[in-house]
Amino acid sequence: MSTIIPVAEKVLTENDRLAGLLRDEFAHLGVVVLNLVSSPGSGKTALLERTFQALDMRLSMAVIVGDVETENDARRLEKAGGRLVRPIVTGGACHLDARMVTRARTELPLDGLDLLFIENVGNLVCPSSYDLGEDMKVVLVSTTEGDDKPMKYPGMFRRSGAMVINKTDLLGTSDFDMECVRQNALTINGNLDIMAVSCRTCDGLDEWFAWLERQVAAKRDRGQALCT
Amino acid sequence: MSTIIPVAEKVLTENDRLAGLLRDEFAHLGVVVLNLVSSPGSGKTALLERTFQALDMRLSMAVIVGDVETENDARRLEKAGGRLVRPIVTGGACHLDARMVTRARTELPLDGLDLLFIENVGNLVCPSSYDLGEDMKVVLVSTTEGDDKPMKYPGMFRRSGAMVINKTDLLGTSDFDMECVRQNALTINGNLDIMAVSCRTCDGLDEWFAWLERQVAAKRDRGQALCT
């Protein structure tokens, strides 16, 4: 079984090459690209629904939505007001890769866009290994999953730039401890931006929206600095 | 990237060979082997804790517990009365394979055992491809994850023999629909045994315990039929 190692390396090297091309293009366009990763059912689609509903007038946004099967999430996002939604059905693959995003990207007009979300397949392991040319991975964890997830799936938390704790409306229904999950996450990655929200009650979402706007402003500033 | 296909096939063929050896051994021993699979945080460990607490005097049980990192779940199961608990830390791998189980199995005395649980890595995609020599995969889905999971991750539900819906105490806190998840699951796999439980309130667990005892009795009957 050792033969898989060089082949896996070759696949990842080719993925990194394509991701590098995507990153160059995204930088040229000045669009912030966020790769949303989590367990199945943590609320990635719900967070994007709320984001489209709230920020549609202020930011120009698009989303590439990956799923093993079905285009249900893409349809949910279109219903929530998403005008630029491109589904990817992986047909069994446990993660998105840069080749899939390259193909989906050609069907999305990115000129003038502020934010491109990539909603990855629900999986706390495999998507961590695949660079999609994003500015940052944002990992979601929901209060119903348990506060031990950063310690049990450290690769994902190590490679993310922000963590969104979702379903805070369900705090108290289990022994999930907010301080414990924060400490566990920061033990793995001391640079994580951490936000806590409920996509059901909207509690905490203003902080998430403000964080998104700061990412967009910071990329604009970097773009202007490069032009002068 | 096409080179990964024959290598992946080779890995799976080797896995199937080892799984076949495990299955022969488990059949010889007359032990029922259940491979528990789900998203992270669906409650596999909680279900096993309740099972050890309730059935310890009636059945002889052991568990092999897989995690990407940490032996936390193994420690939880030992605290819950599990006397034969063997952790596997995959160190990054997104699933258990037959080689890991073969190695772990040598450290567990299986003679006279009724039930061996294999708690897989929390991942609704990759573990579905790896036969571990089990009698059956049992897939857990929690009410907080959404009722669309069977449609979005069909491979896992197709390859499972039973589905346990956990966290029924949280019904009503989201738009999760019990009838919808049942119908979705049965659309994928009409032969699924379906049970609904709450590991928090213990609601429905008696049905799970009775189902386990029926699996043990059925395997004993098959073993006696072969001997006569």
Side-chain angles (χ1 to χ4, degrees), chain A:
Chain A
M1 284 170 71
S2 62
T3 47
I4 199 169
I5 295 167
V7 177
E9 275 173 9
K10 198 172 159 189
V11 169
L12 287 174
T13 303
E14 173 62 5
N15 188 79
D16 285 347
R17 189 186 70 79
L18 291 172
L21 295 175
L22 284 169
R23 184 166 285 111
D24 289 347
E25 189 195 3
F26 296 148
H28 178 72
L29 291 163
V31 58
V32 173
V33 182
L34 300 177
N35 180 359
L36 266 57
V37 289
S38 79
S39 303
S42 297
K44 298 183 294 302
T45 312
L47 186 67
L48 290 177
E49 285 176 316
R50 292 297 190 188
T51 304
F52 282 125
Q53 288 158 354
L55 296 186
D56 186 48
M57 304 299 282
R58 277 146 64 187
L59 294 176
S60 172
M61 298 175 288
V63 57
I64 292 170
V65 195
D67 258 313
V68 175
E69 290 293 345
T70 85
E71 296 185 2
N72 295 354
D73 289 351
R75 281 196 290 270
R76 280 176 59 187
L77 290 169
E78 281 169 345
K79 269 195 199 164
R83 279 166 293 188
L84 297 171
V85 180
R86 179 72 185 86
I88 299 176
V89 175
T90 69
C94 52
H95 59 271
L96 295 181
D97 63 32
R99 195 177 41 147
M100 299 176 195
V101 173
T102 301
R103 208 179 300 142
R105 176 267 162 273
T106 61
E107 295 169 31
L108 276 176
L110 299 185
D111 276 331
L113 210 66
D114 297 308
L115 259 173
L116 171 63
F117 295 102
I118 303 173
E119 183 183 336
N120 219 309
V121 173
N123 180 337
L124 265 186
V125 191
C126 316
S128 75
S129 300
Y130 289 81
D131 183 4
L132 305 179
E134 71 269 5
D135 290 280
M136 194 187 286
K137 284 185 177 68
V138 176
V139 61
L140 271 74
V141 61
S142 66
T143 61
T144 50
E145 286 170 60
D147 48 36
D148 55 350
K149 293 300 162 287
M151 306 308 277
K152 290 174 74 175
Y153 302 86
M156 192 63 96
F157 292 81
R158 196 172 293 129
R159 296 190 183 104
S160 294
M163 174 173 84
V164 177
I165 307 166
N166 188 25
K167 308 192 189 179
T168 55
D169 54 299
L170 294 178
L171 279 169
T173 62
S174 68
D175 54 4
F176 183 93
D177 182 325
M178 284 287 274
E179 195 44 40
C180 179
V181 78
R182 281 178 195 270
Q183 284 309 316
N184 283 340
L186 291 171
T187 299
I188 300 297
N189 178 355
N191 294 319
L192 276 175
D193 289 340
I194 301 179
M195 289 156 277
V197 308
S198 163
C199 291
R200 192 172 158 86
T201 65
C202 295
D203 196 46
L205 283 174
D206 282 343
E207 190 189 350
W208 161 247
F209 300 147
W211 182 88
L212 288 175
E213 294 199 281
R214 284 201 301 278
Q215 306 308 308
V216 171
K219 190 139 187 176
R220 263 190 214 134
D221 289 347
R222 284 197 298 275
Q224 282 166 356
L226 288 173
C227 296
T228 55

Side-chain angles (χ1 to χ4, degrees), chain B:
Chain B
M1 285 169 71
S2 61
T3 46
I4 200 171
I5 295 167
V7 176
E9 276 174 8
K10 198 172 159 189
V11 169
L12 286 174
T13 303
E14 172 62 6
N15 188 78
D16 285 347
R17 190 187 68 80
L18 290 173
L21 295 176
L22 283 169
R23 184 167 284 110
D24 289 347
E25 189 193 1
F26 296 148
H28 178 73
L29 290 164
V31 57
V32 173
V33 182
L34 300 176
N35 179 359
L36 266 59
V37 290
S38 79
S39 303
S42 296
K44 298 183 293 302
T45 312
L47 185 67
L48 290 178
E49 284 175 320
R50 292 298 190 188
T51 304
F52 281 125
Q53 287 158 356
L55 296 186
D56 186 47
M57 302 299 284
R58 276 143 65 186
L59 294 176
S60 171
M61 298 175 288
V63 58
I64 293 171
V65 196
D67 258 313
V68 175
E69 290 292 345
T70 84
E71 296 185 1
N72 295 354
D73 289 352
R75 281 196 290 270
R76 279 176 59 187
L77 291 169
E78 281 169 345
K79 268 194 200 163
R83 279 166 295 187
L84 296 172
V85 180
R86 178 72 184 86
I88 298 176
V89 175
T90 69
C94 52
H95 59 271
L96 294 181
D97 64 31
R99 195 178 40 149
M100 299 176 196
V101 173
T102 301
R103 209 179 301 144
R105 176 268 163 275
T106 61
E107 295 169 32
L108 277 176
L110 299 186
D111 276 330
L113 210 65
D114 297 308
L115 258 173
L116 171 63
F117 295 102
I118 302 174
E119 182 182 338
N120 219 310
V121 173
N123 181 337
L124 264 186
V125 191
C126 315
S128 75
S129 301
Y130 288 81
D131 183 3
L132 305 180
E134 71 270 5
D135 289 280
M136 194 188 287
K137 284 185 178 65
V138 176
V139 60
L140 271 74
V141 61
S142 66
T143 62
T144 51
E145 285 170 61
D147 48 35
D148 55 350
K149 293 301 163 287
M151 305 308 276
K152 291 175 74 176
Y153 301 86
M156 192 63 95
F157 291 82
R158 196 172 292 128
R159 296 189 183 105
S160 293
M163 174 172 83
V164 177
I165 306 165
N166 188 25
K167 307 192 190 180
T168 54
D169 53 300
L170 294 178
L171 280 169
T173 62
S174 68
D175 54 4
F176 183 94
D177 182 324
M178 285 286 275
E179 195 44 39
C180 179
V181 78
R182 280 178 195 271
Q183 284 309 315
N184 283 340
L186 291 171
T187 299
I188 300 296
N189 178 354
N191 294 319
L192 276 175
D193 289 341
I194 301 180
M195 289 155 275
V197 308
S198 163
C199 291
R200 193 172 157 84
T201 65
C202 297
D203 196 46
L205 282 175
D206 283 344
E207 189 189 350
W208 162 248
F209 299 148
W211 182 88
L212 287 175
E213 294 200 281
R214 284 201 301 278
Q215 306 308 308
V216 171
K219 190 140 188 176
R220 264 190 214 136
D221 290 346
R222 284 197 300 275
Q224 282 167 354
L226 288 173
C227 296
T228 54

